[in-house]
Amino acid sequence: AAKRVLAVAVCDHFNHARRCLEDPAVAEAEHAKPNVLVVGPTGSGKTFLVRTLARLLNAPMVKADATKFSATGFVGRDTEELVRDLADAAGGHLAAASHGIVYVDEVDKLCTSRTSLTGLLGGGGGSVNTRDVQTSLLKLMEDADVAIGARGSGSAEGAAQRLSTKHVLWIFSGAFNDMHRQLHADESAEDAHFADLDAQALAAVAPKADGAEVDDVAVEELA
């Protein structure tokens, strides 16, 4: 199922990229990207699927670990570096990079830890994974203009180049162990709720044990 979803999403993505290159008006129109979230336990082959996809595709693609990013003001990678890496993967060809693919693994580690006293540390890893990182990734997923140029050069030419993420496809993956347990608990609670409703409905329509006749009002309505 995961292979089918990834294949369909990538096919739709590059079909849309082709239409954008053929007609600039299509690129300016509103478009809902088929971004993908791959969920599965550790060792289920999530990263292998994406690596195989990257090997088969002749297109710009970058991979990153979500635990390496940090909130503004802390030591760690900035989320916008993903877009700059994508431009590097395209050899500086911004038109190709603007329709590339970004894969972020371990995204479930961005969830705030319930056991953290400060509320800053993520569900795993030593980096500072706060809601700021989630917000930054969300902005990049939707549509953001990121400055592209020679890193650290400070040249005016590099600063003038900007790459839009409007048509960049994003693939996320993670184990989300707590989510599986929560979904299972919700399903069990829902099953118990409907079982209780069924029991109440059966009790309401069941005939009386003492064989009492139906009341006069019901008989008149039936007549």
Side-chain angles (χ1 to χ4, degrees), residues 84 94 146-163:
R84 300 187 184 100
L94 298 188
V146 180
I148 303 296
R151 303 184 188 184
S153 64
S155 62
E157 182 180 355
Q161 292 182 312
R162 304 191 70 85
L163 175 61

Side-chain angles (χ1 to χ4, degrees), residues 77-98:
R77 295 191 66 192
D78 182 25
T79 55
E80 290 188 353
E81 292 184 24
L82 283 170
V83 183
R84 300 187 184 100
D85 291 343
L86 189 61
D88 292 341
H93 195 288
L94 298 188
S98 64

Side-chain angles (χ1 to χ4, degrees), residues 2 13 38 45 58 120 126 129 140 148 166 173 190 193 204 216:
H13 172 68
V38 183
N58 185 21
L120 292 177
N129 296 323
L140 292 177
I148 303 296
K166 179 179 181 179
S173 69
E190 185 176 358
H193 174 69
D216 296 338

Side-chain angles (χ1 to χ4, degrees), residues 50-163:
V50 180
R51 284 178 176 173
T52 304
L53 181 66
R55 186 173 66 250
L56 295 175
L57 292 174
N58 185 21
M61 183 172 182
V62 295
K63 175 186 177 297
D65 193 321
T67 60
K68 303 301 181 182
F69 299 107
S70 64
T72 304
F74 293 91
V75 177
R77 295 191 66 192
D78 182 25
T79 55
E80 290 188 353
E81 292 184 24
L82 283 170
V83 183
R84 300 187 184 100
D85 291 343
L86 189 61
D88 292 341
H93 195 288
L94 298 188
S98 64
H99 295 91
I101 300 176
V102 176
Y103 170 51
V104 183
D105 195 11
E106 302 289 346
V107 72
D108 56 316
K109 301 302 189 298
L110 292 178
C111 301
T112 303
S113 174
R114 297 179 180 178
T115 59
S116 175
L117 296 178
T118 61
L120 292 177
L121 295 181
S127 62
V128 179
N129 296 323
T130 67
R131 186 172 297 273
D132 291 343
V133 179
Q134 301 178 33
T135 303
S136 298
L137 286 173
L138 181 60
K139 290 179 180 178
L140 292 177
M141 285 175 56
E142 293 175 345
D143 185 8
D145 286 331
V146 180
I148 303 296
R151 303 184 188 184
S153 64
S155 62
E157 182 180 355
Q161 292 182 312
R162 304 191 70 85
L163 175 61

